[in-house]
């Protein structure tokens, strides 16, 4: 299947009439799948209205959301403004001619010092920038300071140290890592992390279709992943309260994007006092430090770009005024250099990335074609629920079949 066919596949799953119902509203809607930020977005909407930029945040569950947006794209009438992802997912909508380039908005923001080219690059497809940043996130390892103190462990600086402290945590009755399949998409998190920690070149090759899912680097990841499960280092995969699980102390460490810190704070943890974060060490000691980066843009449809209120909102969102407020309400970072980091943990993780000259690696969700990612995530989820060598083999073979079919028609 070609990229544009992904949209048709999503659209087939759309709930009948959802998009037309959305059109009935008269105010500017911000459609999104970040339902866990809805309260933050409501506060932001109140602030924005006071500044003359009213909008209504409208949430969906992620799977329904993709179908909803694809339905609009296929019909030639996507929403005026909605959240999306960077990388391949952004390119798919650009290829479908659904989005308006925002080069002028970015030129103004960069010229005024309110945006950085590095963030624009994350949202660039074929030389044009699409979208303004809802958030820009690093994927570090959050850790519970009280649980670390209880087990007598400190932040690891190598993979061997990470395994040592994990064993000590386990011996103290503390599960080392929080990880679930909640919301259906999380299965890729540890897969991508272990692959970039063992063979980042293989990660890039896999996403480009140059090696397969039954190759030696992938088999090594599943073997290592399975070993961690056998040692009892993960929480049950089927929990639907991942944020709360960590906040309640059910695990000492949590590999997640720094966007989740707002939810941890909402659940009672204080950043810097109760939790902090570090960059996951590499399994292979010779590798350059690296970290997954994710950009979530607000994108504007071609129809939306013709409306003054939509473009006025996009320009306002790029200002420090909006960035500071968003940081206060949601503790999220838009990458605006004039806006302080929203909390001490985001600040410390950002400083660590700078100090170590960590290589920024695009998240699997955005780095690999959606035709492969979506069925692959289902297989990763299956493995997390039943992490045996037999299931690992089945998962690799299934994803390999999907990937071969895709690349046979898209190279």
């Amino acid at each position: 299947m070609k990229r544009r066919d992904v949209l048709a596949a999503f659209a087939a799953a759309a709930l009948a009439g959802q998009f037309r119902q959305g059109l009935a509203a008269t105010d500017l809607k911000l459609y999104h799948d970040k339902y866990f930020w809805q309260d933050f977005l409501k506060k932001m909407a109140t602030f924005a209205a006071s500044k003359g930029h009213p909008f209504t945040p409208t949430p969906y569950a992620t799977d329904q959301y993709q179908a909803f947006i694809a339905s609009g794209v296929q019909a030639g009438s996507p929403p005026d403004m909605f959240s999306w992802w960077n990388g391949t997912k952004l390119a798919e909508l650009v290829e479908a001619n659904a989005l308006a380039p925002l080069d002028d908005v970015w030129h103004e923001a960069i010229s005024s010092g309110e945006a950085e080219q590095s963030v624009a690059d994350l949202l660039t497809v074929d030389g044009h920038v699409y979208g303004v940043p809802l958030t820009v996130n690093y994927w570090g390892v959050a850790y519970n300071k009280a649980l670390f103190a209880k087990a007598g462990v400190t932040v690891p600086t190598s993979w061997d140290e990470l395994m040592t402290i994990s064993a000590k945590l386990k011996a103290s009755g503390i599960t080392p890592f929080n990880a679930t399949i909640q919301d259906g998409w999380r299965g890729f998190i540890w897969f991508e992390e272990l692959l970039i920690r063992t063979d980042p070149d293989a990660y890039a090759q896999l996403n480009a279709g140059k090696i397969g899912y039954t190759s030696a680097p992938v088999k090594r990841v599943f073997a290592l992943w399975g070993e961690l499960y056998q040692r009892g280092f993960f929480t049950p995969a089927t929990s639907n309260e991942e944020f709360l699980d960590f906040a309640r102390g059910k695990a000492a460490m949590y590999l997640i994007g720094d966007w989740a810190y707002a939810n941890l704070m909402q659940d009672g943890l204080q950043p810097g006092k109760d939790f902090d974060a570090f960059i996951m060490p590499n399994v292979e000691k010779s590798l350059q430090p690296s970290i997954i980066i994710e950009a979530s843009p607000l994108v504007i449809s071609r129809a939306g770009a013709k409306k003054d209120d939509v473009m006025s909102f996009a320009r306002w969102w790029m200002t420090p005024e909006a960035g500071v407020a968003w940081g206060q309400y949601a503790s999220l970072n838009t990458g605006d250099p004039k806006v302080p980091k929203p909390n001490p943990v985001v600040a410390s993780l950002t400083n660590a990335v700078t100090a170590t000259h960590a290589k920024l690696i695009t998240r699997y969700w955005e780095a690999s074609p959606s035709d492969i990612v979506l069925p692959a995530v289902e297989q990763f989820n299956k493995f997390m629920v039943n992490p045996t060598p037999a299931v690992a083999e089945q998962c690799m073979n299934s994803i390999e079949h999907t990937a071969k079919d895709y690349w046979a028609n898209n190279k």
Side-chain angles (χ1 to χ4, degrees):
M1 292 173 69
K2 296 183 181 300
R3 278 179 175 168
R4 60 178 175 271
D5 295 331
V6 176
L7 300 171
F10 284 148
L15 297 179
Q18 279 185 317
F19 182 66
R20 287 179 174 79
Q21 290 171 12
L23 287 178
T26 57
D27 62 335
L28 177 60
K29 286 183 177 288
L30 191 170
Y31 292 93
H32 67 93
D33 73 324
K34 323 297 185 203
Y35 65 89
F36 39 80
W37 293 347
Q38 180 67 359
D39 288 345
F40 306 146
L41 283 165
K42 284 181 178 179
K43 292 178 182 178
M44 192 65 183
T46 299
F47 176 76
S50 74
K51 300 298 180 180
H53 302 282
F55 74 96
T56 301
T58 307
Y60 282 77
T62 298
D63 53 351
Q64 293 178 357
Y65 183 69
Q66 292 179 96
F68 162 62
I69 295 299
S71 172
V73 171
Q74 287 291 302
S77 53
D80 290 337
M81 178 176 69
F82 55 98
S83 71
W84 204 242
W85 298 273
N86 66 314
T88 56
K89 283 185 165 48
L90 186 62
E92 287 160 4
L93 292 192
V94 171
E95 185 176 294
N97 202 33
L99 305 182
L102 302 180
D103 299 332
D104 290 346
V105 174
W106 277 91
H107 177 73
E108 294 168 10
I110 291 173
S111 296
S112 65
E114 295 173 354
E116 293 185 332
Q117 185 62 46
S118 60
V119 178
D121 291 343
L122 293 171
L123 306 180
T124 297
V125 178
D126 296 333
H128 296 285
V129 191
Y130 294 88
V132 296
L134 178 63
T135 180
V136 178
N137 308 107
Y138 292 128
W139 282 65
V141 182
Y143 67 97
N144 184 309
K145 288 189 166 185
L147 294 182
F148 265 43
K150 178 181 177 181
V153 299
T154 57
V155 172
T157 59
S158 69
W159 184 261
D160 288 344
E161 288 182 9
L162 179 63
M163 292 299 97
T164 297
I165 71 164
S166 295
K168 288 182 178 180
L169 286 162
K170 184 68 177 175
S172 300
I174 302 166
T175 302
F177 293 107
N178 190 44
T180 76
I181 61 171
Q182 183 175 322
D183 299 327
W185 62 265
R186 285 169 164 83
F188 70 83
I189 295 174
W190 274 86
F191 172 79
E192 75 179 358
E193 193 73 17
L194 292 174
L195 189 49
I196 69 169
R197 300 298 163 204
T198 53
D199 195 337
D201 290 338
Y203 177 76
Q205 292 169 348
L206 186 73
N207 292 329
K210 294 180 179 179
I211 64 171
Y213 283 82
T214 55
S215 61
V218 175
K219 288 182 177 180
R220 182 184 181 189
V221 163
F222 271 96
L224 182 54
W225 201 1
E227 180 185 338
L228 297 179
Y229 268 107
Q230 291 301 312
R231 297 181 71 178
F233 284 178
F234 290 112
T235 56
T238 53
S239 171
N240 286 315
E241 296 185 325
E242 190 173 277
F243 300 136
L244 275 170
D245 287 345
F246 185 73
R248 291 167 176 162
K250 291 191 175 182
M253 293 176 281
Y254 187 14
L255 173 59
I256 197 70
D258 62 35
W259 50 263
Y261 301 165
N263 298 90
L264 299 181
M265 293 162 62
Q266 195 175 40
D267 290 334
L269 296 184
Q270 295 185 42
K273 178 183 177 182
D274 297 321
F275 75 100
D276 210 322
F278 60 88
I279 300 172
M280 180 81 80
N282 292 320
V283 177
E284 292 294 333
K285 297 177 182 179
S286 62
L287 294 174
Q288 175 186 355
S290 64
I291 194 166
I292 294 292
I293 189 169
E294 169 196 3
S296 295
L298 297 179
V299 296
I300 310 297
S301 69
R302 289 187 173 273
K306 297 177 183 178
K307 300 176 181 179
D308 290 342
D309 60 337
V310 176
M311 294 309 296
S312 175
F313 181 87
R315 285 184 163 86
W316 175 76
W317 188 267
M318 296 281 283
T319 65
E321 177 180 71
V324 168
W326 186 225
Q328 290 174 344
Y329 294 133
S331 205
L332 293 166
N333 176 34
T334 63
D336 186 334
K338 289 188 175 182
V339 175
K341 297 306 176 191
N343 64 65
V345 183
V346 170
S348 69
L349 190 58
T350 301
N351 291 339
V353 170
T354 301
T356 60
H357 305 285
K359 181 180 180 180
L360 306 183
I361 299 178
T362 300
R363 197 172 65 147
Y364 178 77
W365 186 263
E366 293 86 8
S368 201
S370 295
D371 276 344
I372 298 172
V373 168
L374 298 176
V377 167
E378 293 180 5
Q379 296 301 316
F380 298 145
N381 288 346
K382 288 179 182 179
F383 177 75
M384 290 176 66
V385 172
N386 187 13
T388 65
V391 173
E393 191 72 21
Q394 293 170 8
C395 292
M396 286 185 281
N397 288 335
S398 177
I399 305 170
E400 176 66 5
H401 178 76
T402 299
K404 277 187 174 180
D405 282 351
Y406 175 84
W407 291 116
N409 296 306
N410 289 275
K411 280 194 175 182

